[in-house]
């Protein structure tokens, strides 16, 4: 079973939820909350993920905060492959994180 791409409305809502958060930790937590909701809609969990790419604007913040939060959400499952890439800015100025995930069901 393949999980489809977000519809534009769903994607815009999730981007707005994330961009309203002020700091990297809040944006990461909201992004993972959205991911959990999406996976749940398709009967999947974080255990179905095998790879993630984080595109971020604050490398230091992204490395510090995910270590705490990732331990919480990935605590009972395997560690997945993760790539972190820092860029100057994302397409929406308030966004500090964009993520791409690959999973198998």
């Amino acid at each position: 079973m393949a999980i489809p791409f977000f519809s534009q409305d769903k994607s815009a809502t999730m981007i707005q939820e994330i961009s309203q958060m002020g700091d990297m930790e809040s944006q990461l937590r909201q992004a993972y909350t959205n991911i959990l909701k999406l996976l749940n809609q398709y009967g999947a969990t974080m255990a179905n993920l095998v790879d993630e790419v984080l595109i971020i604007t604050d490398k230091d913040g992204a490395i510090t905060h995910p270590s705490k939060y990732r331990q919480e959400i990935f605590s009972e499952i395997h560690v997945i492959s993760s790539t972190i890439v820092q860029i100057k800015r994302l397409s929406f100025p308030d966004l500090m994180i964009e993520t791409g995930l690959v999973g198998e069901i």
Side-chain angles (χ1 to χ4, degrees):
M1 173 180 173
I3 296 176
F5 291 106
F6 289 123
S7 68
Q8 187 170 4
D9 290 341
K10 183 122 181 138
S11 179
T13 299
M14 290 183 163
I15 288 170
Q16 183 178 10
E17 287 173 351
I18 295 169
S19 67
Q20 290 173 347
M21 314 318 261
D23 59 26
M24 178 61 75
E25 181 175 11
S26 298
Q27 288 195 16
L28 283 165
R29 285 184 178 274
Q30 185 62 54
Y32 281 116
T33 297
N34 292 345
I35 290 164
L36 288 167
K37 286 179 190 175
L38 178 67
L39 290 169
N40 189 38
Q41 288 177 11
Y42 294 95
T45 68
M46 295 300 276
N48 294 99
L49 299 179
V50 294
D51 185 44
E52 76 174 335
V53 175
L54 298 174
I55 301 170
I56 48 92
T57 60
D58 175 12
K59 183 178 80 170
D60 294 333
I63 290 172
T64 303
H65 296 300
S67 60
K68 291 189 298 189
Y69 190 55
R70 285 172 58 83
Q71 287 175 6
E72 292 173 27
I73 63 168
F74 289 107
S75 65
E76 297 180 14
I77 62 170
H78 63 286
V79 175
I80 66 171
S81 170
S82 182
T83 302
I84 299 177
V85 178
Q86 180 176 337
I87 61 172
K88 186 173 181 175
R89 88 184 268 284
L90 292 163
S91 51
F92 294 91
D94 294 339
L95 285 180
M96 301 173 80
I97 178 173
E98 182 175 310
T99 185
L101 301 162
V102 176
E104 60 182 17
I105 298 180

